[in-house]
Amino acid sequence: MNWKPSARILSILAATLLLPAQTGAAAGTDSLPNSSGVGEEYRASSSYSAYLADHEGADNPALEIAVELGKASGGEAAAVTVDGGTRTGWLTGEEETVTWPVTVPQSGFYQLKLTYYTGGEGGSSIERRLLVDGVQPYEEAGSLSLSRIWRDIPAEEAAGERRFSTDRQGNERLPGQETVPAWTEVFLRESSGMVADPLRIYLTAGEHTLSLVSVRESLIVGGLTLCQSPEPLSYAAYLEAHRDAPAT
């Protein structure tokens, strides 16, 4: 027996297909809970290139705006001792969102310089999401990878000399590696390497918030600064700066 859908069923299906898709608080956004239970919206479809185009012609203010770590919502203060010196940072856990308020005196594009402590434990890359005023501004801000510092493990260390084990022919064997406890300073970049320069965020003059959302591993933040990354030297300028260097 051939079954045919009734006109009523067809009309219901048609109406369902015509309904606009809504995700999160608004179309084109998703809402994720953070450690405080507050929803965070992020734009899942906005690319970095489209974001830059949206703010084409914006200034790049020559300012350095230091974020006050102690005003954070989430996380906690943590003292770190490295090479005999103690520095206080802000600990962000493996499953935590930490938000800082910041006052911006001039509208424009800014880059974010981050000082962080890698610690001497763990082997995975540290990953974070960046939110600006509770919103992820573009896709590339959703996976920011922060590297650890590694060094070879010697077979022995004596009088400042690092010696590695050798095979029967006297060749050094491939050593294991270990992480080095150290502070590192970087400008936040897109993880895949498709964007050469550090990422930019557009901020209007006034009050804003910056949030780091934990994706993987804990992290101690030692400094957050809104500024501009230094321009690299041209090849001609580099040669000029080293013209007195001996040739080898």
Side-chain angles (χ1 to χ4, degrees), residues 133-156:
D133 297 328
V135 175
Q136 182 179 309
Y138 39 79
E139 290 180 28
E140 290 81 352
S143 179
L144 304 175
S145 182
L146 303 171
S147 300
R148 298 178 183 274
I149 298 176
W150 296 85
R151 69 173 182 176
D152 294 334
I153 302 174
E156 59 178 304

mmCIF file of all heavy atoms in Angstrom, residues 133-156:
data_model
loop_
_atom_site.group_PDB
_atom_site.id
_atom_site.type_symbol
_atom_site.label_atom_id
_atom_site.label_comp_id
_atom_site.label_asym_id
_atom_site.label_seq_id
_atom_site.Cartn_x
_atom_site.Cartn_y
_atom_site.Cartn_z
ATOM 1 N N ASP A 133 35.183 41.431 27.071
ATOM 2 C CA ASP A 133 33.843 41.808 27.540
ATOM 3 C C ASP A 133 32.889 40.614 27.510
ATOM 4 O O ASP A 133 31.724 40.728 27.133
ATOM 5 C CB ASP A 133 33.281 42.965 26.710
ATOM 6 C CG ASP A 133 34.123 44.226 26.852
ATOM 7 O OD1 ASP A 133 34.698 44.430 27.935
ATOM 8 O OD2 ASP A 133 34.209 45.001 25.880
ATOM 9 N N GLY A 134 33.410 39.443 27.885
ATOM 10 C CA GLY A 134 32.602 38.234 27.956
ATOM 11 C C GLY A 134 32.350 37.550 26.634
ATOM 12 O O GLY A 134 31.634 36.551 26.574
ATOM 13 N N VAL A 135 32.945 38.055 25.547
ATOM 14 C CA VAL A 135 32.694 37.504 24.208
ATOM 15 C C VAL A 135 34.022 37.126 23.558
ATOM 16 O O VAL A 135 34.986 37.885 23.600
ATOM 17 C CB VAL A 135 31.952 38.533 23.322
ATOM 18 C CG1 VAL A 135 31.803 38.022 21.892
ATOM 19 C CG2 VAL A 135 30.585 38.857 23.899
ATOM 20 N N GLN A 136 34.051 35.949 22.950
ATOM 21 C CA GLN A 136 35.208 35.564 22.157
ATOM 22 C C GLN A 136 35.127 36.311 20.832
ATOM 23 O O GLN A 136 34.190 36.114 20.067
ATOM 24 C CB GLN A 136 35.221 34.054 21.912
ATOM 25 C CG GLN A 136 36.448 33.580 21.132
ATOM 26 C CD GLN A 136 36.432 32.079 20.933
ATOM 27 O OE1 GLN A 136 36.260 31.334 21.891
ATOM 28 N NE2 GLN A 136 36.606 31.636 19.703
ATOM 29 N N PRO A 137 36.063 37.193 20.515
ATOM 30 C CA PRO A 137 35.896 38.091 19.377
ATOM 31 C C PRO A 137 35.977 37.428 18.006
ATOM 32 O O PRO A 137 35.415 37.941 17.032
ATOM 33 C CB PRO A 137 37.022 39.111 19.565
ATOM 34 C CG PRO A 137 38.044 38.399 20.392
ATOM 35 C CD PRO A 137 37.286 37.486 21.284
ATOM 36 N N TYR A 138 36.682 36.313 17.892
ATOM 37 C CA TYR A 138 36.824 35.607 16.620
ATOM 38 C C TYR A 138 37.301 34.190 16.903
ATOM 39 O O TYR A 138 37.733 33.869 18.015
ATOM 40 C CB TYR A 138 37.796 36.334 15.670
ATOM 41 C CG TYR A 138 38.996 36.931 16.361
ATOM 42 C CD1 TYR A 138 40.087 36.139 16.724
ATOM 43 C CD2 TYR A 138 39.043 38.283 16.675
ATOM 44 C CE1 TYR A 138 41.186 36.678 17.372
ATOM 45 C CE2 TYR A 138 40.141 38.840 17.318
ATOM 46 C CZ TYR A 138 41.208 38.032 17.658
ATOM 47 O OH TYR A 138 42.291 38.565 18.311
ATOM 48 N N GLU A 139 37.206 33.336 15.879
ATOM 49 C CA GLU A 139 37.514 31.918 16.059
ATOM 50 C C GLU A 139 38.910 31.691 16.623
ATOM 51 O O GLU A 139 39.119 30.849 17.505
ATOM 52 C CB GLU A 139 37.397 31.193 14.718
ATOM 53 C CG GLU A 139 35.987 31.054 14.181
ATOM 54 C CD GLU A 139 35.960 30.322 12.850
ATOM 55 O OE1 GLU A 139 36.871 29.497 12.616
ATOM 56 O OE2 GLU A 139 35.051 30.581 12.056
ATOM 57 N N GLU A 140 39.881 32.425 16.087
ATOM 58 C CA GLU A 140 41.275 32.179 16.446
ATOM 59 C C GLU A 140 41.577 32.461 17.909
ATOM 60 O O GLU A 140 42.612 32.016 18.424
ATOM 61 C CB GLU A 140 42.191 33.014 15.540
ATOM 62 C CG GLU A 140 42.238 32.561 14.085
ATOM 63 C CD GLU A 140 41.063 33.063 13.259
ATOM 64 O OE1 GLU A 140 40.097 33.642 13.816
ATOM 65 O OE2 GLU A 140 41.083 32.859 12.038
ATOM 66 N N ALA A 141 40.722 33.195 18.584
ATOM 67 C CA ALA A 141 40.919 33.465 20.013
ATOM 68 C C ALA A 141 40.461 32.297 20.878
ATOM 69 O O ALA A 141 40.591 32.348 22.101
ATOM 70 C CB ALA A 141 40.170 34.736 20.421
ATOM 71 N N GLY A 142 39.947 31.240 20.263
ATOM 72 C CA GLY A 142 39.416 30.112 21.013
ATOM 73 C C GLY A 142 40.433 29.063 21.380
ATOM 74 O O GLY A 142 40.148 28.170 22.176
ATOM 75 N N SER A 143 41.637 29.136 20.813
ATOM 76 C CA SER A 143 42.651 28.133 21.123
ATOM 77 C C SER A 143 44.023 28.790 21.075
ATOM 78 O O SER A 143 44.686 28.810 20.038
ATOM 79 C CB SER A 143 42.584 26.963 20.126
ATOM 80 O OG SER A 143 43.579 26.001 20.424
ATOM 81 N N LEU A 144 44.440 29.340 22.202
ATOM 82 C CA LEU A 144 45.736 30.005 22.304
ATOM 83 C C LEU A 144 46.681 29.090 23.068
ATOM 84 O O LEU A 144 46.442 28.750 24.220
ATOM 85 C CB LEU A 144 45.578 31.343 23.034
ATOM 86 C CG LEU A 144 44.552 32.309 22.418
ATOM 87 C CD1 LEU A 144 44.398 33.539 23.297
ATOM 88 C CD2 LEU A 144 44.962 32.710 21.007
ATOM 89 N N SER A 145 47.739 28.666 22.397
ATOM 90 C CA SER A 145 48.671 27.707 22.973
ATOM 91 C C SER A 145 49.887 28.435 23.541
ATOM 92 O O SER A 145 50.500 29.266 22.865
ATOM 93 C CB SER A 145 49.107 26.698 21.907
ATOM 94 O OG SER A 145 49.972 25.726 22.450
ATOM 95 N N LEU A 146 50.223 28.121 24.781
ATOM 96 C CA LEU A 146 51.373 28.714 25.456
ATOM 97 C C LEU A 146 52.410 27.625 25.706
ATOM 98 O O LEU A 146 52.117 26.608 26.345
ATOM 99 C CB LEU A 146 50.940 29.354 26.776
ATOM 100 C CG LEU A 146 49.855 30.430 26.652
ATOM 101 C CD1 LEU A 146 49.364 30.834 28.038
ATOM 102 C CD2 LEU A 146 50.365 31.632 25.890
ATOM 103 N N SER A 147 53.606 27.825 25.208
ATOM 104 C CA SER A 147 54.639 26.794 25.267
ATOM 105 C C SER A 147 55.341 26.769 26.610
ATOM 106 O O SER A 147 55.394 27.763 27.334
ATOM 107 C CB SER A 147 55.677 27.027 24.158
ATOM 108 O OG SER A 147 55.077 26.976 22.889
ATOM 109 N N ARG A 148 55.861 25.620 26.918
ATOM 110 C CA ARG A 148 56.752 25.462 28.071
ATOM 111 C C ARG A 148 58.205 25.584 27.601
ATOM 112 O O ARG A 148 58.490 25.518 26.404
ATOM 113 C CB ARG A 148 56.541 24.095 28.731
ATOM 114 C CG ARG A 148 55.134 23.878 29.277
ATOM 115 C CD ARG A 148 55.008 22.493 29.872
ATOM 116 N NE ARG A 148 53.657 22.225 30.336
ATOM 117 C CZ ARG A 148 53.196 22.556 31.532
ATOM 118 N NH1 ARG A 148 53.991 23.169 32.385
ATOM 119 N NH2 ARG A 148 51.953 22.282 31.882
ATOM 120 N N ILE A 149 59.101 25.745 28.536
ATOM 121 C CA ILE A 149 60.533 25.761 28.229
ATOM 122 C C ILE A 149 61.107 24.391 28.581
ATOM 123 O O ILE A 149 60.881 23.873 29.673
ATOM 124 C CB ILE A 149 61.252 26.872 29.017
ATOM 125 C CG1 ILE A 149 60.687 28.235 28.622
ATOM 126 C CG2 ILE A 149 62.756 26.827 28.764
ATOM 127 C CD1 ILE A 149 61.269 29.375 29.424
ATOM 128 N N TRP A 150 61.845 23.818 27.636
ATOM 129 C CA TRP A 150 62.390 22.477 27.815
ATOM 130 C C TRP A 150 63.917 22.505 27.763
ATOM 131 O O TRP A 150 64.516 23.383 27.140
ATOM 132 C CB TRP A 150 61.884 21.542 26.709
ATOM 133 C CG TRP A 150 60.400 21.323 26.722
ATOM 134 C CD1 TRP A 150 59.450 22.116 26.151
ATOM 135 C CD2 TRP A 150 59.702 20.251 27.352
ATOM 136 N NE1 TRP A 150 58.200 21.600 26.380
ATOM 137 C CE2 TRP A 150 58.323 20.463 27.106
ATOM 138 C CE3 TRP A 150 60.108 19.135 28.088
ATOM 139 C CZ2 TRP A 150 57.350 19.583 27.577
ATOM 140 C CZ3 TRP A 150 59.137 18.258 28.554
ATOM 141 C CH2 TRP A 150 57.781 18.492 28.298
ATOM 142 N N ARG A 151 64.531 21.514 28.392
ATOM 143 C CA ARG A 151 65.975 21.333 28.280
ATOM 144 C C ARG A 151 66.288 19.847 28.298
ATOM 145 O O ARG A 151 65.505 19.025 28.813
ATOM 146 C CB ARG A 151 66.715 22.038 29.410
ATOM 147 C CG ARG A 151 66.517 21.422 30.779
ATOM 148 C CD ARG A 151 67.416 22.081 31.811
ATOM 149 N NE ARG A 151 67.246 21.450 33.132
ATOM 150 C CZ ARG A 151 67.958 21.785 34.193
ATOM 151 N NH1 ARG A 151 68.884 22.731 34.111
ATOM 152 N NH2 ARG A 151 67.747 21.174 35.364
ATOM 153 N N ASP A 152 67.460 19.501 27.725
ATOM 154 C CA ASP A 152 67.908 18.111 27.731
ATOM 155 C C ASP A 152 68.320 17.699 29.142
ATOM 156 O O ASP A 152 68.844 18.505 29.913
ATOM 157 C CB ASP A 152 69.090 17.932 26.787
ATOM 158 C CG ASP A 152 68.702 18.154 25.339
ATOM 159 O OD1 ASP A 152 67.513 17.965 25.012
ATOM 160 O OD2 ASP A 152 69.586 18.538 24.535
ATOM 161 N N ILE A 153 68.080 16.447 29.470
ATOM 162 C CA ILE A 153 68.485 15.907 30.769
ATOM 163 C C ILE A 153 69.855 15.252 30.613
ATOM 164 O O ILE A 153 69.993 14.248 29.896
ATOM 165 C CB ILE A 153 67.475 14.864 31.288
ATOM 166 C CG1 ILE A 153 66.077 15.487 31.392
ATOM 167 C CG2 ILE A 153 67.915 14.328 32.637
ATOM 168 C CD1 ILE A 153 65.002 14.483 31.756
ATOM 169 N N PRO A 154 70.892 15.795 31.245
ATOM 170 C CA PRO A 154 72.228 15.199 31.113
ATOM 171 C C PRO A 154 72.363 13.943 31.966
ATOM 172 O O PRO A 154 71.614 13.728 32.919
ATOM 173 C CB PRO A 154 73.154 16.307 31.620
ATOM 174 C CG PRO A 154 72.306 17.039 32.631
ATOM 175 C CD PRO A 154 70.890 16.984 32.108
ATOM 176 N N ALA A 155 73.338 13.098 31.602
ATOM 177 C CA ALA A 155 73.617 11.920 32.427
ATOM 178 C C ALA A 155 74.221 12.345 33.758
ATOM 179 O O ALA A 155 74.014 11.699 34.779
ATOM 180 C CB ALA A 155 74.566 10.988 31.683
ATOM 181 N N GLU A 156 74.958 13.452 33.754
ATOM 182 C CA GLU A 156 75.536 13.983 34.981
ATOM 183 C C GLU A 156 75.892 15.451 34.775
ATOM 184 O O GLU A 156 76.105 15.907 33.656
ATOM 185 C CB GLU A 156 76.788 13.195 35.387
ATOM 186 C CG GLU A 156 77.895 13.208 34.340
ATOM 187 C CD GLU A 156 79.123 12.452 34.805
ATOM 188 O OE1 GLU A 156 79.650 12.808 35.885
ATOM 189 O OE2 GLU A 156 79.543 11.533 34.101
#
